Amino acid sequence: MALDASPLDRQVWHMLHGRLAHLAQGGEHALRVDPRYGPFAAARDGGAGAQAALAALLEGPDDQLWLIEPEVWTPPPGTQVVRTMELLQMVADGEPPPPAETDSATFALGEEHSAEMAAIALATEPGPWRALTHRYGVFYGIHLDGRLAAMAGERMLPAPGLAEVSGVCTWPEYRGEGLARRLIMRVMAGQRARGDVPYLHSYAHNAGAIGLYESLGFRPRRTLWVTVLASA
């Protein structure tokens, strides 16, 4: 039976009604992730009721909501679009490669590594990072020269059988050494072991990252748009 990938079209809405419902804040018309984990949000639809509920999720003038949708989202009354970004969504749903040898240099990151994880994520900006983003799922890292040189983990779980590879980042001085590849392979192996198909996103203009992901078995699925909303 083929995997139903349609939840990936509106992954935030689906994950907050499913595998990550424990992180949801809001009501039947609009939901957001617990802000300590990230700024992601989704409305049931573009109707007036859902739009009003979406705007009500903003917690102040400095708060933001990130929507990931097939099209740029029309801002609800009382809000404004801060920026938009085009994403390429990619899925590794083909025949998995043969198991790789155990990479003893990659290790699971825990609470004791949260400060290092925040430092590399905030400096390299693989995506929004908040105080508890590291708790979405398992993250792996590689230490070099006594510091966290690179990491990768997972975030969105939009439906049974689907898991996002996320938080892939490397300090600039360690790039070009294949660290991201090794860490993504470790994350993918864990996802596949529990029956999930890995997927991820790249900024659509990032040809280097897209080439890396394709070499790891990811194929382009579709483009999506991030719309960042704030109070007007």
Side-chain angles (χ1 to χ4, degrees):
M1 180 174 169
L3 176 71
D4 178 14
S6 61
L8 295 182
D9 294 337
R10 304 202 69 218
Q11 60 203 292
V12 177
W13 181 255
H14 285 283
M15 77 175 189
L16 292 178
H17 283 86
R19 297 173 75 181
L20 295 181
H22 60 286
L23 300 182
Q25 297 183 357
E28 62 176 313
H29 295 288
L31 293 168
R32 72 175 296 172
V33 175
D34 179 336
R36 298 173 300 168
Y37 284 76
F40 298 104
R44 183 183 63 186
D45 52 44
Q51 286 283 71
L54 182 64
L57 295 175
L58 285 165
E59 296 184 343
D62 297 324
D63 194 18
Q64 293 184 344
L65 300 176
W66 287 43
L67 286 75
I68 305 177
E69 300 286 349
E71 306 291 341
V72 173
W73 194 266
T74 301
T79 73
Q80 61 179 323
V81 175
V82 177
R83 61 174 167 153
T84 62
M85 295 163 280
E86 186 179 13
L87 300 178
L88 178 65
Q89 186 181 80
M90 306 181 75
V91 182
D93 56 356
E95 187 68 25
E101 295 183 9
T102 301
D103 188 342
S104 60
T106 63
F107 65 98
L109 296 165
E111 288 295 326
E112 68 273 23
H113 304 107
S114 60
E116 284 188 294
M117 297 168 74
I120 189 173
L122 294 174
T124 60
E125 298 185 324
W129 192 271
R130 301 293 185 267
L132 299 184
T133 300
H134 62 283
R135 294 187 184 176
Y136 268 115
V138 180
F139 279 78
Y140 294 97
I142 294 176
H143 265 145
L144 294 174
D145 304 322
R147 65 189 295 208
L148 182 64
M151 74 172 181
E154 59 185 5
R155 185 174 56 192
M156 297 190 192
L157 303 171
L162 293 167
E164 182 193 22
V165 178
S166 183
V168 181
C169 50
T170 305
W171 283 108
E173 57 266 41
Y174 297 109
R175 290 175 183 164
E177 299 181 18
L179 304 185
R181 170 182 291 275
R182 292 160 60 187
L183 288 164
I184 294 170
M185 290 177 66
R186 180 73 182 268
V187 174
M188 293 173 69
Q191 291 172 336
R192 283 180 165 137
R194 67 175 189 243
D196 285 330
V197 171
Y199 78 100
L200 51 69
H201 302 93
S202 172
Y203 293 116
H205 65 270
N206 194 339
I210 292 169
L212 168 62
Y213 301 148
E214 287 178 331
S215 74
L216 290 167
F218 288 90
R219 65 167 179 85
R221 179 178 178 267
R222 66 166 303 159
T223 57
L224 295 169
W225 285 91
V226 177
T227 305
V228 181
L229 297 177
S231 296

